[in-house]
Amino acid sequence: DAKTTQPPSMDCAEGRAANLPCNHSTISGNEYVYWYRQIHSQGPQYIIHGLKNNETNEMASLIITEDRKSSTLILPHATLRDTAVYYCIVLMYNNNDMRFGAGTRLTVKP
Amino acid sequence: DSGVTQTPKHLITATGQRVTLRCSPRSGDLSVYWYQQSLDQGLQFLIQYYNGEERAKGNILERFSAQQFPDLHSELNLSSLELGDSALYFCASSVDGGASGRGEQFFGPGTRLTVL
């Protein structure tokens, strides 16, 4: 599976959009991009995933570049409860063997 | 609430002992995954079972073993425990074993294991 690179930490003001980048330059054509987050020591929570089209759900939007070498997770109106570690994972089709990296620690500040 | 349950929530034991962690997947989910999260190693995938059979193996030690039962619940057995085995152990479930790119896994609240 392709490796991912994320900034170790980011800050965001409450109410603003949080844009979390992820580089996955070695991604192959049948690999999906998944985002999870982990709040404190709770179990990780699925956010969104995509293959090549941009995706949106009630939690977030996922923007994948045309060459698929990077993506951005967007939390449109960050709240204090969005403070968490966000993981970007690239996963082969037909494979649920997820490898979590260090992720990005997002701190939403009032 | 993800619908995945894990017991016990906390476990304190001594080195050399053996423990069993239990996981019940969401209703209808056929796959169960086990992860270990320690302070210095992050979240590490251990093993996956799909409908009773081992599907994928990660960084699982030989002292550790798992199984998935006919009712789809799973147990992770940790033996000859060492201080370094102290960690959070998460179970996750998904509806399938990896087909259709549906990697959406639902995680339980975890079991915190402390080895003294």
Side-chain angles (χ1 to χ4, degrees), chain B residues 47-84:
Chain B
I47 197 164
Q48 175 199 1
Y49 278 81
Y50 174 70
N51 206 20
E53 297 200 358
E54 184 182 305
R55 174 63 67 95
K57 219 167 186 175
N59 302 319
I60 188 165
L61 300 172
E62 284 192 16
R63 300 183 285 109
F64 296 180
S65 65
Q67 54 184 326
Q68 186 179 28
F69 295 86
D71 67 353
L72 300 177
H73 91 271
S74 177
E75 292 180 356
L76 179 67
N77 301 295
L78 315 175
S79 61
S80 303
L81 285 167
E82 302 175 359
L83 296 178

Side-chain angles (χ1 to χ4, degrees), chain A residues 1-94:
Chain A
D1 291 337
K3 287 192 164 46
T4 62
T5 304
Q6 299 178 253
S9 64
M10 292 181 64
D11 290 342
C12 177
E14 189 177 20
R16 298 291 193 126
N19 296 285
L20 292 94
C22 179
N23 283 320
H24 30 79
S25 58
T26 59
I27 194 170
S28 62
N30 58 358
E31 288 182 314
Y32 288 73
V33 180
Y34 281 82
W35 283 83
Y36 281 74
R37 73 180 182 183
Q38 186 174 25
I39 297 172
H40 194 46
S41 295
Q42 298 177 23
Q45 178 189 23
Y46 166 82
I47 301 174
I48 199 167
H49 77 281
L51 183 61
K52 51 185 170 183
N53 296 322
N54 297 338
E55 303 286 343
T56 295
N57 63 21
E58 65 279 2
M59 285 183 71
S61 295
L62 174 60
I63 308 298
I64 303 175
T65 58
E66 198 168 331
D67 63 6
R68 300 186 70 241
K69 293 187 176 182
S70 65
S71 61
T72 301
L73 177 75
I74 301 172
L75 308 178
H77 305 287
T79 70
L80 299 179
R81 287 182 295 181
D82 292 322
T83 292
V85 178
Y86 287 77
Y87 298 98
C88 168
I89 300 159
V90 171
L91 198 65
M92 183 81 77
Y93 178 90
N94 203 33

Side-chain angles (χ1 to χ4, degrees), chain A residues 34 36 38 43-44 94 96-97, chain B residues 33 37 45 94 98 101 103 105 107:
Chain A
Y34 281 82
Y36 281 74
Q38 186 174 25
N94 203 33
N96 275 356
D97 180 2
Chain B
Y33 311 77
Q37 187 171 36
F45 167 71
S94 69
Q105 296 183 18
F107 282 76

Side-chain angles (χ1 to χ4, degrees), chain A residues 36 44 98 100, chain B residues 2 4 6 23-26 29-35 47-49 68 74 89-94 104-108:
Chain A
Y36 281 74
M98 288 202 299
F100 288 80
Chain B
S2 66
V4 177
Q6 290 187 247
C23 169
S24 292
R26 290 187 323 153
D29 284 359
L30 298 178
S31 270
V32 169
Y33 311 77
W34 287 98
Y35 293 84
I47 197 164
Q48 175 199 1
Y49 278 81
Q68 186 179 28
S74 177
Y89 290 84
F90 289 106
C91 165
S93 73
S94 69
E104 182 178 354
Q105 296 183 18
F106 295 86
F107 282 76

